[in-house]
Amino acid sequence: MEKFVINGGVPLAGRVKVSGAKNAALALMPACILNSGINKIFNIPEVNDIFTMMKLLKELGVNSDYNNFEMSIDSSNITSQFAPYEHVKKMRASVYVLGPLLARYGHAKVSMPGGCAWGPRPINLHLEAMKKLGAEIDLEDGYIIANSKKLQGTKLHFDISSVGATGNAMMAAVLANGETTISNAAIEPEITLLAEFLIDMGAKIDGAGTSHLIIQGVDELKSAEVTNIPDRIEAGTLLIAAAITKGNIELEYGNNDHLDSVISKLNDSGVNVINNNGLLSINASGLSAKNIDIQTAIHPGFPTDMQAQWTIYMALANGTSTVTDNIYFDRFKHVPELVRLGADIEVMKNSAIIRGVKSLNGAKVMSTDLRASASLVLGGLAAEGTTEVLRIYHIDRGYQRIEEKLINLGADIKRVSTSEF
Ligand code: EPU
């Protein structure tokens, strides 16, 4: 096992490059199942979830060659439609293979993902979409068994906007007979990029980037190339790292509006964030954060994946603030650990009530999930004294060697081996 040992209190300064988006890559990789050929994806982050997806694809006979953040994915020799529990239990995004396998082979057996560290995360919308497209779905021994003749275009409406269900349904519908419409489709940037990748493969999709997609099924798709977008959540986390340490940093991020909700709230809190031709800079030198409430929402609202990080930022703000998670009502496993650092936070239903304190104090804390662990690292960077963050395998799932980026920005953080669990 490994842990981070952080000596807090250093204002971050300097410049780093933001890695490619984990969640976008996790949708682009299984999309390659839809064609028979060699696909290329550029700017893939080196994080453990990507390695899990590579292993899962290999299980199906899809070989990926990954070097220098570039991946070539060969889908010309698919031998299996079976996604075993062993891989799916490690990562819920594995369920993304369901739509493409069903569309191309008329059959898939995919392990049910089960619960998640902070509570239930159902996949009913994915399954309902597959059924509406004509698949028979049985649940047996923890597996989804999906069978269909050629999928048939249909009208899909999602009661809840879901990133994963939109991605899965879109990947299934591109090879269906006739027209599929998806209303209340997710408009997260990862889904827009997925639609663009599918269009480059020859799919006919209108409305990419909007909540209403119209898809005309085609008989087959060809291989394609795509450049992944930068990781908006990594960028947001680093901006908060600068804000919470009263630092001054620049991020090579690119020109996009994916992070606007977070940037706007950061500016409301008193810091100064600007994007100058793709270079995102934040200046928080000498500033104390104002208390700013946030509510998570689907894109372009404040992302749930930034909720834990905002919570620790507000723990050191002037006054009381409320952070409400409207996407995942139970996503507050980080709070008791943040309290160990001296934060004054109370969870009521799906809100954290945060009374700002003057300072945090280093302590041993334990990661419970990916974004929770990011909030603990942020707490450690701001706390007085030494913080040890245990179970950092969680952070390694989605942040590419976060400590290296932070060290480049002047932080005192070390990754060390430990027998502590
Ligand atoms: N939902 C259902 N039924 C479903 C699917 C979703 O009720 O069949 C509900 C969820 O419980 C949730 C809401 O719909 O309340 C939205 O969930 P969504 O399906 O959009 O989430 P996801 O696709 O499972 C992706 C990201 C998550 C991120 C969410 C929300 C990937 C691989 N994962 O998950 O990222 O939190 O969207 O933006 O793209 C992370 O990176 O730390 C992470 C958890």
Side-chain angles (χ1 to χ4, degrees), residues 131-199:
K131 281 188 199 160
K132 276 204 139 185
L133 285 160
E136 256 182 45
I137 304 279
D138 291 305
L139 301 179
E140 271 173 31
D141 307 328
Y143 279 87
I144 306 157
I145 320 264
N147 283 298
S148 69
K149 299 213 175 69
K150 179 103 172 146
L151 293 174
Q152 299 297 324
T154 187
K155 285 190 188 315
L156 295 174
H157 171 82
F158 290 123
D159 289 339
I160 303 173
S161 170
S162 159
V163 174
T166 303
N168 234 337
M170 189 161 61
M171 290 191 277
V174 288
L175 287 182
N177 266 335
E179 180 176 291
T180 300
T181 56
I182 307 181
S183 57
N184 200 23
I187 58 163
E188 270 66 7
E190 300 81 55
I191 292 299
T192 307
L193 182 68
L194 173 64
E196 288 164 2
F197 187 35
L198 295 172
I199 290 168

Side-chain angles (χ1 to χ4, degrees), residues 326-339:
N326 295 315
I327 307 294
Y328 296 116
F329 291 176
D330 319 315
R331 198 178 193 175
F332 291 102
K333 283 279 194 305
H334 43 283
V335 167
E337 301 298 310
L338 299 181
V339 168

Side-chain angles (χ1 to χ4, degrees), residues 22-23 26 93 96 118 120-126 160-165 188 304-305 327-328 331 370-371:
K22 169 198 71 116
N23 286 346
L26 290 176
Y96 268 137
W118 69 78
R121 282 175 74 188
I123 54 159
N124 57 312
L125 299 174
H126 301 240
I160 303 173
S161 170
S162 159
V163 174
E188 270 66 7
T304 173
D305 291 345
I327 307 294
Y328 296 116
R331 198 178 193 175
L370 170 58
R371 307 305 171 187

Side-chain angles (χ1 to χ4, degrees), residues 171-240:
M171 290 191 277
V174 288
L175 287 182
N177 266 335
E179 180 176 291
T180 300
T181 56
I182 307 181
S183 57
N184 200 23
I187 58 163
E188 270 66 7
E190 300 81 55
I191 292 299
T192 307
L193 182 68
L194 173 64
E196 288 164 2
F197 187 35
L198 295 172
I199 290 168
D200 284 345
M201 289 182 190
K204 296 205 159 53
I205 304 175
D206 277 337
T210 75
S211 59
H212 191 76
L213 302 172
I214 305 169
I215 301 164
Q216 309 292 344
V218 295
D219 285 338
E220 58 177 17
L221 295 173
K222 59 182 191 316
S223 55
E225 295 189 0
V226 61
T227 298
N228 191 15
I229 49 179
D231 197 306
R232 61 195 168 111
I233 306 301
E234 186 197 56
T237 304
L238 291 170
L239 288 178
I240 293 189

